[in-house]
Amino acid sequence: MPRLPSVENLFDDAGLMRFAVFAGLFVLLVLLEQLFPRRSRSQPRRQRWVTNGALIVIDTLALRLILPVAALGMAGIAEARGWGLFNMIDWPVWLEIILCVVILDIAIYWQHVATHRVPLLWRLHKVHHVDRDLDTTSGFRFHPLEIVGSMIFKIALVALLGPAIVAVFIFELLLNAGSMFSHANLRLPPRLDRALRLALVTPDMHRIHHSTREHETNTNYGFSTSAWDRLFGTYRDDPQDGHERMTIGLDEYQDERPARLLPSLAIPFACSRPDASNRK
Ligand SMILES: [Zn+2]
């Protein structure tokens, strides 16, 4: 089996490269947040960071322990076995990469919409939305069951699509980088924000999605490009109360629980009041 070691090496290199981009961007964004903060914090940063940091460690372990393969691994398997649409047609690689990244990104947009509309999925997604401050660490604050469910969805998509491995790599890199950038507590010059928003999701654009006002939460679902919100009619320009005065989080969790790990992990299993579970 001469092929396997090289495929494994590719995954190792890809993992290392993804981690390097992730760590580099994280440090850069945290520095920029210090220099140009958009909002003052409502909770102590240390406690939130410990909780959000613990969640990313738990999420990473959950993915490794529960799933035998990730989306990138599935792309390798699909290629080796000829599975999926793109392994059946012989298109130029550049076209396949663009199409696959676009299709996967649209799918993640609709997955995000579903997490707000399906009550069971909303229970898990709430763990992300209860964060009362937004910063770079909010970009990876998710319940482990949501992360595992999302990875199963991506693995299934990759098995059906059969995209080039590099397309999955680029898509995941954009998703991670986009999630960190769009959650950053970062003040961009208004003209730069407006220019970037033509194509990308800026922190000001995504913050509206984290408003306690329900009609604002159900807008701006995109993580990396603003195109899908504009196309599917869920784009919103500004929050009703302004970026500095708007309340972030969920009305029923404006307390200490979001900054603590165990209460955060327990959120999906809490008995919810009818008004809390009926968010649409
Ligand atoms: Zn959301």
Side-chain angles (χ1 to χ4, degrees):
M1 302 242 286
R3 193 187 155 81
L4 269 180
S6 67
V7 170
E8 274 172 0
N9 283 345
L10 178 66
F11 295 154
D12 285 350
D13 290 350
L16 204 67
M17 219 154 98
R18 203 163 55 181
F19 180 75
V21 172
F22 174 85
L25 187 62
F26 179 77
V27 171
L28 177 69
L29 286 171
V30 168
L31 277 173
L32 289 172
E33 281 178 333
Q34 285 294 115
L35 292 171
F36 312 106
R38 182 62 155 122
R39 290 167 52 96
S40 48
R41 295 176 181 276
S42 53
Q43 289 195 295
R45 181 167 79 166
R46 217 179 77 118
Q47 201 183 359
R48 275 188 59 253
W49 274 37
V50 168
T51 296
N52 291 358
L55 279 171
I56 192 178
V57 172
I58 294 169
D59 291 351
T60 308
L61 287 174
L63 285 177
R64 291 274 158 95
L65 294 175
I66 296 173
L67 299 176
V69 70
L72 203 63
M74 180 49 87
I77 294 172
E79 189 187 85
R81 303 193 179 169
W83 290 351
L85 188 68
F86 285 95
N87 284 320
M88 289 173 193
I89 43 182
D90 198 16
W91 283 3
V93 178
W94 62 267
L95 183 62
E96 186 181 325
I97 291 173
I98 293 172
L99 278 175
C100 288
V101 171
V102 167
I103 293 171
L104 289 169
D105 207 53
I106 291 182
I108 290 298
Y109 166 89
W110 284 110
Q111 183 203 325
H112 190 184
V113 174
T115 60
H116 282 249
R117 297 203 179 151
V118 180
L120 188 70
L121 300 180
W122 171 246
R123 275 177 175 263
L124 298 173
H125 191 54
K126 261 163 124 178
V127 178
H128 177 63
H129 273 271
V130 293
D131 210 354
R132 290 176 55 200
D133 292 308
L134 284 186
D135 61 22
T136 308
T137 68
S138 313
F140 44 74
R141 179 201 158 92
F142 291 94
H143 195 277
L145 289 177
E146 178 169 20
I147 284 293
V148 169
S150 167
M151 185 55 87
I152 291 173
F153 178 61
K154 282 187 275 186
I155 289 170
L157 275 174
V158 167
L160 286 172
L161 275 179
I165 297 174
V166 67
V168 180
F169 179 72
I170 292 172
F171 158 71
E172 294 225 296
L173 210 62
L174 286 176
L175 188 64
N176 284 348
S179 188
M180 284 198 286
F181 175 64
S182 63
H183 288 92
N185 182 28
L186 184 59
R187 179 187 298 275
L188 294 178
R191 285 174 67 180
L192 177 63
D193 179 79
R194 271 197 298 278
L196 288 177
R197 260 197 221 198
L198 294 174
L200 303 177
V201 178
T202 64
D204 273 10
M205 180 182 157
H206 191 69
R207 192 175 304 106
I208 303 165
H209 177 76
H210 283 265
S211 161
T212 51
R213 294 184 183 276
E214 217 172 297
H215 65 280
E216 293 183 336
T217 312
N218 295 333
T219 63
N220 297 359
Y221 289 101
F223 282 109
S224 41
T225 173
S226 61
W228 316 137
D229 282 297
R230 294 180 191 277
L231 189 66
F232 301 120
T234 51
Y235 176 77
R236 188 180 168 105
D237 243 332
D238 280 306
Q240 192 176 320
D241 302 319
H243 283 286
E244 267 134 71
R245 289 189 40 239
M246 67 182 281
T247 310
I248 287 174
L250 297 178
D251 277 335
E252 64 271 31
Y253 285 96
Q254 291 298 313
D255 51 36
E256 293 304 304
R257 287 173 293 171
R260 289 164 49 210
L261 180 62
L262 290 179
S264 291
L265 284 169
I267 284 171
F269 310 103
C271 297
S272 51
R273 296 192 301 269
D275 63 319
S277 62
N278 276 345
R279 291 175 65 99
K280 283 250 155 54

mmCIF file of all heavy atoms in Angstrom, residues 112 115-116 125 128-129 209, ligand 1:
data_model
loop_
_atom_site.group_PDB
_atom_site.id
_atom_site.type_symbol
_atom_site.label_atom_id
_atom_site.label_comp_id
_atom_site.label_asym_id
_atom_site.label_seq_id
_atom_site.Cartn_x
_atom_site.Cartn_y
_atom_site.Cartn_z
ATOM 1 N N HIS A 112 -26.630 26.565 9.303
ATOM 2 C CA HIS A 112 -26.744 27.566 10.365
ATOM 3 C C HIS A 112 -28.195 28.034 10.510
ATOM 4 O O HIS A 112 -28.706 28.170 11.616
ATOM 5 C CB HIS A 112 -25.794 28.735 10.076
ATOM 6 C CG HIS A 112 -25.659 29.697 11.221
ATOM 7 N ND1 HIS A 112 -24.940 30.843 11.144
ATOM 8 C CD2 HIS A 112 -26.181 29.682 12.475
ATOM 9 C CE1 HIS A 112 -25.016 31.487 12.298
ATOM 10 N NE2 HIS A 112 -25.771 30.811 13.118
ATOM 11 N N THR A 115 -30.081 25.480 12.405
ATOM 12 C CA THR A 115 -29.822 25.442 13.848
ATOM 13 C C THR A 115 -30.653 26.491 14.594
ATOM 14 O O THR A 115 -30.850 26.384 15.794
ATOM 15 C CB THR A 115 -28.327 25.658 14.194
ATOM 16 O OG1 THR A 115 -27.926 26.940 13.709
ATOM 17 C CG2 THR A 115 -27.442 24.576 13.620
ATOM 18 N N HIS A 116 -31.157 27.487 13.865
ATOM 19 C CA HIS A 116 -32.023 28.485 14.500
ATOM 20 C C HIS A 116 -33.498 28.106 14.392
ATOM 21 O O HIS A 116 -34.316 28.579 15.160
ATOM 22 C CB HIS A 116 -31.808 29.864 13.852
ATOM 23 C CG HIS A 116 -30.560 30.533 14.338
ATOM 24 N ND1 HIS A 116 -30.578 31.649 15.136
ATOM 25 C CD2 HIS A 116 -29.256 30.206 14.168
ATOM 26 C CE1 HIS A 116 -29.326 31.996 15.423
ATOM 27 N NE2 HIS A 116 -28.509 31.139 14.836
ATOM 28 N N HIS A 125 -27.292 24.942 19.637
ATOM 29 C CA HIS A 125 -26.684 26.168 19.108
ATOM 30 C C HIS A 125 -26.738 27.328 20.113
ATOM 31 O O HIS A 125 -25.941 28.262 20.038
ATOM 32 C CB HIS A 125 -27.386 26.544 17.795
ATOM 33 C CG HIS A 125 -26.697 27.625 17.027
ATOM 34 N ND1 HIS A 125 -25.371 27.565 16.665
ATOM 35 C CD2 HIS A 125 -27.146 28.826 16.553
ATOM 36 C CE1 HIS A 125 -25.045 28.664 16.011
ATOM 37 N NE2 HIS A 125 -26.100 29.454 15.933
ATOM 38 N N HIS A 128 -23.612 28.588 21.823
ATOM 39 C CA HIS A 128 -22.829 29.597 21.105
ATOM 40 C C HIS A 128 -23.428 30.995 21.329
ATOM 41 O O HIS A 128 -22.705 31.961 21.544
ATOM 42 C CB HIS A 128 -22.811 29.243 19.616
ATOM 43 C CG HIS A 128 -22.110 30.241 18.750
ATOM 44 N ND1 HIS A 128 -20.770 30.517 18.873
ATOM 45 C CD2 HIS A 128 -22.570 31.035 17.746
ATOM 46 C CE1 HIS A 128 -20.435 31.438 17.978
ATOM 47 N NE2 HIS A 128 -21.502 31.773 17.290
ATOM 48 N N HIS A 129 -24.754 31.059 21.336
ATOM 49 C CA HIS A 129 -25.416 32.366 21.378
ATOM 50 C C HIS A 129 -25.520 32.988 22.766
ATOM 51 O O HIS A 129 -25.830 34.173 22.873
ATOM 52 C CB HIS A 129 -26.810 32.281 20.738
ATOM 53 C CG HIS A 129 -26.772 32.488 19.263
ATOM 54 N ND1 HIS A 129 -26.878 33.728 18.677
ATOM 55 C CD2 HIS A 129 -26.582 31.613 18.248
ATOM 56 C CE1 HIS A 129 -26.776 33.604 17.367
ATOM 57 N NE2 HIS A 129 -26.592 32.332 17.084
ATOM 58 N N HIS A 209 -26.135 39.402 14.454
ATOM 59 C CA HIS A 209 -26.676 38.041 14.594
ATOM 60 C C HIS A 209 -26.683 37.594 16.066
ATOM 61 O O HIS A 209 -27.416 36.690 16.436
ATOM 62 C CB HIS A 209 -25.828 37.090 13.736
ATOM 63 C CG HIS A 209 -26.225 35.659 13.843
ATOM 64 N ND1 HIS A 209 -27.337 35.142 13.219
ATOM 65 C CD2 HIS A 209 -25.666 34.614 14.514
ATOM 66 C CE1 HIS A 209 -27.431 33.847 13.493
ATOM 67 N NE2 HIS A 209 -26.432 33.505 14.271
HETATM 68 ZN ZN ZN B 1 -26.149 31.539 15.099
#
